Coordinates of all heavy atoms in Angstrom, one line a residue:
I17 N -0.8 -1.1 4.7 CA -1.7 -0.1 4.2 C -1.0 1.1 3.5 O 0.1 1.3 3.7 CB -2.6 0.5 5.3 CG1 -1.8 1.2 6.3 CG2 -3.4 -0.6 6.0 CD1 -2.6 2.0 7.4
L18 N -1.7 1.7 2.6 CA -1.2 2.8 1.9 C -1.5 4.1 2.7 O -2.6 4.3 3.3 CB -1.9 2.9 0.6 CG -1.3 4.0 -0.5 CD1 0.1 3.6 -0.9 CD2 -2.2 4.0 -1.7
D19 N -0.5 5.0 2.8 CA -0.6 6.3 3.5 C -1.3 7.3 2.7 O -0.7 8.2 2.1 CB 0.7 6.8 4.0 CG 0.7 8.1 4.7 OD1 -0.4 8.4 5.2 OD2 1.7 8.8 4.7
T20 N -2.6 7.3 2.6 CA -3.5 8.3 1.9 C -3.7 9.5 2.8 O -4.0 10.5 2.3 CB -4.8 7.6 1.5 OG1 -5.5 7.2 2.7 CG2 -4.6 6.5 0.6
N21 N -3.5 9.4 4.1 CA -3.7 10.5 5.0 C -2.8 11.6 4.7 O -3.1 12.8 4.6 CB -3.5 10.1 6.5 CG -4.7 9.3 7.0 OD1 -5.7 9.2 6.3 ND2 -4.5 8.7 8.2
S22 N -1.5 11.4 4.5 CA -0.5 12.4 4.2 C -0.9 13.1 2.9 O -0.7 14.3 2.7 CB 0.9 11.8 4.1 OG 1.3 11.4 5.3
Q23 N -1.3 12.3 1.9 CA -1.6 13.0 0.6 C -2.9 13.9 0.8 O -2.8 15.0 0.3 CB -2.1 11.9 -0.4 CG -2.4 12.4 -1.8 CD -3.0 11.4 -2.7 OE1 -3.7 10.4 -2.2 NE2 -2.8 11.5 -4.0
Y24 N -3.8 13.5 1.6 CA -5.0 14.3 1.8 C -4.6 15.6 2.5 O -5.1 16.7 2.2 CB -6.1 13.6 2.5 CG -7.5 14.3 2.5 CD1 -8.4 14.0 1.5 CD2 -7.8 15.2 3.5 CE1 -9.6 14.7 1.5 CE2 -9.0 15.8 3.5 CZ -9.9 15.5 2.5 OH -11.1 16.1 2.5
I25 N -3.9 15.5 3.6 CA -3.4 16.6 4.4 C -2.6 17.6 3.6 O -2.8 18.8 3.6 CB -2.7 16.2 5.6 CG1 -3.7 15.3 6.5 CG2 -2.1 17.4 6.4 CD1 -3.0 14.6 7.7
A26 N -1.6 17.0 2.9 CA -0.7 17.8 2.1 C -1.4 18.6 1.0 O -1.2 19.8 0.8 CB 0.4 17.0 1.4
R27 N -2.4 18.0 0.4 CA -3.1 18.7 -0.7 C -4.0 19.8 -0.1 O -4.0 21.0 -0.6 CB -4.0 17.7 -1.4 CG -4.7 18.4 -2.6 CD -5.5 17.3 -3.5 NE -6.4 16.5 -2.7 CZ -6.4 15.2 -2.6 NH1 -5.4 14.5 -3.2 NH2 -7.3 14.6 -1.9
S28 N -4.6 19.5 1.1 CA -5.4 20.5 1.8 C -4.6 21.8 2.2 O -5.0 22.9 2.0 CB -6.1 19.9 3.0 OG -7.0 18.8 2.6
L29 N -3.4 21.5 2.7 CA -2.6 22.6 3.3 C -1.9 23.4 2.1 O -1.9 24.6 2.2 CB -1.5 22.0 4.2 CG -1.9 21.5 5.5 CD1 -0.7 21.0 6.3 CD2 -2.7 22.5 6.4
T30 N -1.6 22.7 1.1 CA -1.0 23.4 0.0 C -2.0 24.3 -0.7 O -1.6 25.4 -1.1 CB -0.4 22.3 -1.1 OG1 0.5 21.5 -0.5 CG2 0.1 23.0 -2.3

Side-chain angles (χ1 to χ4, degrees):
I17 63 171
L18 189 64
D19 176 21
T20 58
N21 285 352
S22 292
Q23 180 188 34
Y24 192 90
I25 295 167
R27 184 170 59 235
S28 298
L29 293 180
T30 299

